[in-house]
Amino acid sequence: MKKKMLLLNTTVLLGLGGVLSTPAYASTIQDMESQKSQIQNQRQDVQSNIKAASDELTRLQAEQDQMKAQLERLTLAEEENNKKAEKTEADIKETSKQVEQLEKEIKLLQEKLEKRNDILKDRARSMQESGGNVEYLQVLLGSSSFSDFVDRALAVSTIVDADRGILTETKNMQDELKTKQADVKSKLASLENMKAELDEMTVQLAAQKKQKDALAKELKDKEAKNEELKASLQSKDSSLANEQSTLEQNIKDQKAAEEAARKAAEQAAKEAAKKAAEQAQKAAAAPAEKADSSSSAKAEAPKASSNDVAPTSAPAPKASNVVTVGNRWIGNSAYVFGGGRSQSDINHGLFDCSSFVHWAYAQVGVNLGPLGSVSTETLKHAGTQVSSSQMQPGDLVFFDTYKKDGHVGIYVGGGKFIGAQSSTGVAIANMSSGYWKQKFNGRVVRI
């Protein structure tokens, strides 16, 4: 009988053990955990894409800010160049009036000279008729023009004092008017060339602004699409987060239900075991061994550890070479005729060729004279002239544009130079071919 009771007790415990294993619950939780893992992986991908979209937005916004700054510079440059173009136009009109006035004076002088020419002819004939020096008459008759006659007559030693005075005064008037006329015409030509260059700059600046406006619009469109993509990704991430939260709650509820079932089964097993023991004791009329079964499982969550390492960054390279110090202005500047001679201009990246060279050398500790009066003329005398065949990086190179030595830059090597160019602002240009090769006049100055 005792053996039969022990067998019954064992059977009950085995049956309860089958209930405690709850394979259906484990399978459901496993499926939910697997689904949760998949959602977490999806969220990682989505969040990675959100970060990429945020980084791209940051980049686009920085590029947009840079584009706005360049547009502001171009607008300032256009305004300044338009002012200078208007002033140059006014100077051209004034100089043209001076040329017209001088031409009138020259015409009056010519009429006066013709009258004097008649007087001198009469005096020469009188001298010949009265037996005077024939050489004087030969000088008059042998000249090809009155100007030629004046030069010949002054060389004849036998001219009477009165004639010599007339001739000397006439020649001085001639020379003075010719000099004035040459100077004014030269000034007019220089102004007209400058006006042409300013007009060309205005066209180029307008083209640059149009191009920058188009790029700014393109950036804005990209920014809007990226914002839309980021919003869509964030919505998807939020949806996945809700699914994950729901699964986590379901898993929690399922585990709670399983734990409750396990405790209930455990309690039932204890009660059944107790009852079986009591029955065995009664049946055998002997002390029964109490079966004690207990099981406990403790899951210890792994502890994560992390080592925080402070990020380090290498110090930014310091500009120490005049050849490269101006690179910061490439794409961030605009050309203004006469610009770069105030701190405000420099802060806004508004230079002309000579002020940029002055600024670049100042950055490496070399003073090229007063900033307010720097020009291509002062710079070409600032150092030692060397042969173009001996050109080295850092040398100043000069070009004949609207005038001789009208443009200057800094040679960087490889047939290229950096300078404030009217079409682009500060940029590196090729002087070994094309436009700048044609304009390079061979002047090289070593500072």
Side-chain angles (χ1 to χ4, degrees), residues 375-385 396 398 404-406 408 441 443-447:
S375 66
T376 53
E377 283 297 312
T378 64
L379 291 176
K380 75 181 185 183
H381 300 297
T384 304
Q385 292 200 29
L396 304 188
F398 290 80
K404 184 168 181 59
D405 297 317
V408 63
N441 61 20
R443 187 188 297 280
V444 180
V445 173
R446 185 161 297 159
I447 302 300

Side-chain angles (χ1 to χ4, degrees), residues 315-328:
K318 186 177 181 180
S320 60
N321 193 311
V322 72
V323 171
T324 57
V325 73
N327 289 352
R328 59 170 285 195

Side-chain angles (χ1 to χ4, degrees), residues 124-138:
R125 289 192 188 96
S126 298
M127 286 181 67
Q128 184 184 24
E129 290 171 359
S130 61
N133 194 313
V134 179
E135 185 181 3
Y136 188 39
L137 182 61
Q138 289 176 339

Side-chain angles (χ1 to χ4, degrees), residues 49 84 89 105 107 159 205 273 323 353 380-381 398 434:
N49 289 333
K84 287 181 174 60
E89 183 69 34
E105 291 179 19
K107 185 177 180 182
I159 299 175
L205 284 167
V323 171
C353 59
K380 75 181 185 183
H381 300 297
F398 290 80

Side-chain angles (χ1 to χ4, degrees), residues 287-318:
E289 294 181 3
K290 293 184 180 180
D292 183 26
S293 65
S294 64
S295 64
S296 63
K298 294 183 181 180
E300 188 174 12
K303 294 182 180 180
S305 62
S306 62
N307 294 322
D308 294 326
V309 179
T312 58
S313 59
K318 186 177 181 180

Side-chain angles (χ1 to χ4, degrees), residues 117-177:
N117 191 20
D118 292 337
I119 293 171
L120 290 171
K121 283 181 182 179
D122 291 339
R123 293 174 70 86
R125 289 192 188 96
S126 298
M127 286 181 67
Q128 184 184 24
E129 290 171 359
S130 61
N133 194 313
V134 179
E135 185 181 3
Y136 188 39
L137 182 61
Q138 289 176 339
V139 167
L140 175 63
L141 297 177
S143 61
S144 60
S145 65
F146 184 70
S147 179
D148 183 31
F149 167 74
V150 171
D151 293 333
R152 289 178 176 224
L154 285 173
V156 177
S157 60
T158 57
I159 299 175
V160 294
D161 290 339
D163 292 349
R164 184 179 297 278
I166 292 173
L167 291 170
T168 302
E169 182 186 359
T170 301
K171 181 169 179 59
N172 289 341
M173 290 174 68
Q174 267 188 325
D175 292 344
E176 183 180 354
L177 281 173

Side-chain angles (χ1 to χ4, degrees), residues 354-375:
S354 53
S355 65
F356 170 74
V357 168
H358 187 284
W359 174 88
Y361 269 92
Q363 304 314 297
V364 294
V366 179
N367 186 355
L368 296 180
L371 175 60
S373 58
V374 66
S375 66

